[in-house]
Amino acid sequence: MNKRFEVFAVLMLSLLMTATAMAQDNPESEIPLDQGFWIGAGAAIVRFDSNLTLFDESSGIGGIIDLEGSLGLDEEKAIPFVMGGYGFSDKHSLDFSYFRFNRDSTLIAIDEDFGPIEIDGDAILSDETSFSYLNYGYTFYRDPRAVVKFRAGLYYIDLDFQFNATGNITIDGLPVVGGTYNEGISQAAPLPMLGLDIRFAITPKWSVGTSIGAVGGSFDEITATIFDATITGRYAM
């Protein structure tokens, strides 16, 4: 198991044990978690498995690039984010979040075949992507100081990939004049998301929690599978 996720699991277990002890010590001190408006911030550990399809319209030939495995983009990233939400009742709530990250990779002296494109030279890939989501939450467990909720919604991914290569480059077997190839892709992709949220009250205003979620699907030229694990702090307004 990845060490960051081992640390995350330990923190999540510690939060659960602390909240359980607080609830047992103060059985009457119920705090209305996730009711009304709240704002928060936190950090997420995000794992990526993304592919990019290259397609040459003149020949009808296409190829798929594994952005992490073939081009060396980070498979895992720790990202700060902001969030907010509104609880309609003990059971139902909406929450949203936004974060942004940068990934880049430089490959020296590669000799790779990406469908219609063959590259014998150097390549640079940059990824500047922003994420936002809107989730519906259903609370299926509640005690005086803790809630556990199922969440489902849309993960809106705004992708900005830039791929630049130099060297001996051919497309459909024909050499590229000048020996340079540049491809830029900007794509917005709404994808479905499912997850679980566990939250513990520290005071009537402040709470801490952890979430896990999975996003997967395809939209136009982008196929992505994303797993995230977050630790957050929230303030009830």
Side-chain angles (χ1 to χ4, degrees):
M1 183 182 293
N2 186 278
K3 188 158 291 290
R4 286 184 178 177
F5 279 86
E6 291 178 353
V7 172
F8 180 83
V10 171
L11 289 173
M12 187 167 64
L13 181 61
S14 297
L15 284 172
L16 179 61
M17 294 174 64
T18 300
T20 302
M22 292 173 65
Q24 291 175 345
D25 291 342
N26 303 277
E28 303 302 324
S29 59
E30 181 170 355
I31 294 176
L33 272 170
D34 285 358
Q35 296 184 37
F37 288 102
W38 54 267
I39 57 174
I45 300 173
V46 183
R47 293 184 64 87
F48 302 89
D49 180 11
S50 50
N51 299 294
L52 176 63
T53 301
L54 295 180
F55 183 76
D56 182 60
E57 295 183 356
S58 62
S59 65
I61 300 174
I64 297 176
I65 301 178
D66 181 347
L67 298 179
E68 290 78 29
S70 298
L71 294 182
L73 285 181
D74 292 335
E75 293 184 359
E76 183 179 288
K77 195 84 170 177
I79 305 167
F81 65 92
V82 294
M83 61 192 311
Y86 180 75
F88 298 96
S89 67
D90 288 350
K91 295 289 188 182
H92 308 287
S93 62
L94 289 176
D95 62 275
F96 64 88
S97 181
Y98 173 85
F99 59 91
R100 183 180 182 86
F101 67 86
N102 298 311
R103 298 188 294 169
D104 58 74
S105 176
T106 301
L107 303 176
I108 306 297
I110 64 170
D111 186 1
E112 295 285 347
D113 180 357
F114 303 113
I117 302 172
E118 296 181 15
I119 300 173
D120 182 5
D122 303 333
I124 298 175
L125 178 67
S126 65
D127 173 18
E128 297 181 0
T129 298
S130 63
F131 291 82
S132 56
Y133 68 71
L134 179 64
N135 281 331
Y136 162 76
Y138 177 78
T139 300
F140 60 88
Y141 173 80
R142 179 183 292 272
D143 72 15
R145 285 180 176 262
V147 296
V148 182
K149 68 169 65 174
F150 167 79
R151 56 193 177 104
L154 284 179
Y155 218 79
Y156 190 81
I157 306 175
D158 190 359
L159 303 160
D160 186 6
F161 289 112
Q162 297 295 326
F163 180 67
N164 304 301
T166 58
N168 297 318
I169 302 171
T170 61
I171 299 179
D172 298 333
L174 300 175
V176 174
V177 177
T180 62
Y181 176 81
N182 303 301
E183 179 75 23
I185 295 179
S186 295
Q187 180 70 62
L191 298 175
M193 176 183 186
L194 296 175
L196 193 68
D197 189 30
I198 306 172
R199 182 144 302 278
F200 315 107
I202 300 174
T203 73
K205 290 291 186 180
W206 287 97
S207 64
V208 295
T210 183
S211 300
I212 54 174
V215 182
S218 299
F219 192 86
D220 287 348
E221 297 177 322
I222 299 297
T223 300
T225 302
I226 302 170
F227 297 95
D228 70 57
T230 66
I231 295 176
T232 60
R234 294 183 185 178
Y235 178 77
M237 302 174 68

